[in-house]
Structures are given as C-alpha cells and as structure tokens.
Amino acid sequence: MLVRDAMSTVILTVGPAHTLRQAANLMSARRVGAAVVLDPDAGGIGILTERDILNSVGLGQNPDTERAFAHTTTDVVFAAPTWTLEQAARAMTHGGFRHLVVLDRGEVAGIVSVRDIIRCWTPAREPAPAL
C-alpha cells in the first residue's frame, strides 16, 4: 500500500502569525494532530504539531501571544505519494515524529500520520475482546 492510499488530502494550514491558541483551536475542531504552516515570505513549508503546542505550554509560554512560526518545524521530512507505507513508517521512526507532509511535484498534496498507517495495516474495527 502506498502513502497516497493512506494520506489525508484535506490539510489544515495555518500562517506563521497564528497564535498557538488559534492553531490549537483549529486543530481541535478538525480533530487533527498537525497543521501545515505556509510562510510565503520565508518561502517554506513547515509543520506545527500538538507536541509543539504542548511543549510551549509546558514551558509556561502564553498560547495567546506565542506565534506559530516560533514553534514550527522547518526542517521537514517530506514523503512522496508513491512511497510505500513501510518507507513512511521507517522515516517517522528514524526521525522520531508522527506526521509526514506529502509533496507531489513540489506542492503539498496531503499529510500522513502514524494513525493513518495503522488504520491501513489493521483490519476493520472489531469489537474489543472481553476482559
């Protein structure tokens, strides 16, 4: 199975000036763990994850004044839609992260998460075994 089969194509994007609270509200409303940060001035694509927001709050920083750009990962590892899920899982394991931005011909095409991969590798939901 390929990344294109597992990735989400509806991508939450935020700007670098969004506050962490704004980003967290959007992520919560969409039920996603990461947002792609598009910064046309810096000319790059970054990613802001729930872990980035949690780390900031844990340091006592104010989510109403902290901006996304200060917490965005900019050295992003990108996946191609033609990667296998094994390649994506290996990249995540090697890098210690749970989301990959998927680029197709230089454009953001989707995002794939550990949860997406597990969903593909696990049979349809079955009732949990009785304890």
Side-chain angles (χ1 to χ4, degrees):
M1 190 168 273
L2 301 178
V3 164
R4 83 168 113 245
D5 302 319
M7 71 183 190
S8 300
T9 56
V10 178
I11 307 151
L12 174 62
T13 59
V14 298
H18 275 84
T19 66
L20 291 187
R21 184 173 311 278
Q22 289 170 324
N25 283 335
L26 291 168
M27 290 164 65
S28 178
R30 289 270 196 89
R31 298 178 48 96
V32 297
V36 173
V37 181
L38 298 178
D39 189 351
D41 294 331
I45 298 168
I47 190 166
L48 179 71
T49 67
E50 57 200 356
R51 184 179 302 166
D52 297 323
I53 296 169
L54 181 66
N55 287 341
S56 174
V57 171
L59 290 171
Q61 296 173 335
N62 184 343
D64 291 315
T65 58
E66 288 295 312
R67 302 291 173 179
F69 74 84
H71 302 278
T72 297
T73 300
T74 55
D75 58 339
V76 178
V77 174
F78 297 102
T82 55
W83 279 16
T84 65
L85 293 185
E86 289 80 6
Q87 287 174 294
R90 196 170 13 258
M92 289 178 188
T93 301
H94 179 73
F97 42 80
R98 298 175 292 168
H99 300 87
L100 287 170
V101 176
V102 182
L103 289 185
D104 190 11
R105 296 181 190 102
E107 298 292 323
V108 177
I111 194 162
V112 66
S113 70
V114 169
R115 180 176 290 163
D116 296 326
I117 293 171
I118 291 171
R119 190 176 299 124
C120 289
W121 285 348
T122 305
R125 283 191 172 171
E126 299 172 6
L131 296 179

